[in-house]
Amino acid sequence: MNRYPRDMVGYGPNRPDPQWPGGAKIAVQFVLNYEEGGENCLLHGDGGSEGFLSDIPGAQPWDNQRHWNMESIYEYGARAGFWRLHRLFTGRDIPVTIYGVATALARSPEQVEAMKAADWEIASHGLKWVEHRDMPEADERAQIAEAIRLHTEVVGEPPRGWYTGRCSMNTVRLVAETGAIAYISDTYDDDLPYWSQIGGRDQLIIPYTLEANDMRFSGAPGWVTGGDFGDYLIDAFDTLYAEGVEGQASMMSVGLHCRLIGRPGKIAGLKKFLDHIAKHDDVWTPRRIDIADHWAAAHPPKPQNRPSQMAREEFVARFGGVFEHSPWIAEGAWDLELGPAHDRAAGVHNALARIFRTASDEQRLGVLRAHPDLAGKLAQAQRLTAESTSEQAGAGLDALTDAERARFTELNTAYTEKHGFPFIIAVRDYDKAGILAAFDRRIANPTQTEFNEACKQVERIARLRLEDMI
């Protein structure tokens, strides 16, 4: 495998300003998962009972049997929990996004009517609330299509958002391939939305959460009291809000389930959190689709020529001159395991530097000797590479006095005669005086010391060049 698909860098150290409406310092988004009536059950054609996300400690599916207690717990979510949450959020005029399992929505017409009357977004949570990890790709594709069809029939309009939850390695790709979904939330990898290239199209991803989530009432380590949940949400909010005040605004998702947070003792923690955020200015509490629409308008996808996806010829043509006149370094870098982390300047540089660092001393000496003298004869003859020309000009080496040029010529000659390669320094890090001072200081060093230093400077020059290229 020489192409690694996972994205371990994201926005990196400089995440974008989301430009939330009204200058909000944070977007707090509430998701209510509606799964009741879509869970594993013999009545639904499944091979056993549900064993996930309930108040039964250590619950396991019962094969070929109905589980009366499990079914009753899920029924509580639809019968009581949903309405308690509906009163809470509508009473505070905070809209939510429903992750609605299509078959569960079909079995809850009155709840769907209430969701629509409150102007809540109803996103798709798949056809059934079941595990997809071992589902054949063709079967999952068919279930996605049926989920969209049934959702549209029950709700009156198709879903614009998607979250499967118990997904497979194929889920995000299959949903994106429909071309019908504005955003997908089957990731937990960032504090901001982002665009992902899937199947040749730009797909908006709005990451979800499994930690600011009441599901931890049903597992370990988890919440015991409503206060545990509320305190965690407050801590998360305070951290993100402070970052927003400092200019690094982001998004906080809160995951809820009717049968869990809808219980009286648990919902108290959610109320505590709502009271807390109400005391702060500049807090945006949108639906998920509102975030999607805002992001598409404020941060549309940008065309990107990704180094990790380039053919060898394109990669070498693009980066073969980063290490002066040494395309073999780019050829070796292309053969490494590259991925999204290498689509940025730091990533390409690391790949190129790995080849340079592991080359023989003779090969590295060839790279050093490929570099021109500073303010030397090649510069005067205008025979430098475009990169070297720009770098030397930026340090003022294209406008030397006669005395300065004579001094550079003297130093170049003495340095090369002693060490066997030209003096190399990342001129962008220095002014003219600083370069001359380094020249005077380093010329007396032992050749091995200078060889090592020159190699470090070559890497630094390459890093600076890549900043301009990517």
Side-chain angles (χ1 to χ4, degrees), residues 2 16 33 40 99 125 129 133 141 147 190 193 197 215 254 289 351 377 418 420:
N2 72 341
N33 293 266
N40 283 287
Y99 284 166
H125 200 5
W129 178 230
R133 64 182 181 184
R141 181 181 286 109
D190 215 302
Q197 268 276 326
M215 66 180 290
V254 180
I289 193 61
K377 293 180 180 179
K418 177 177 181 179

Side-chain angles (χ1 to χ4, degrees), residues 375-392:
K377 293 180 180 179
L378 288 178
Q380 294 179 56
Q382 298 183 335
R383 290 175 54 197
L384 298 180
T385 64
E387 293 84 0
S388 291
T389 299
S390 174
E391 289 157 1
Q392 294 203 20

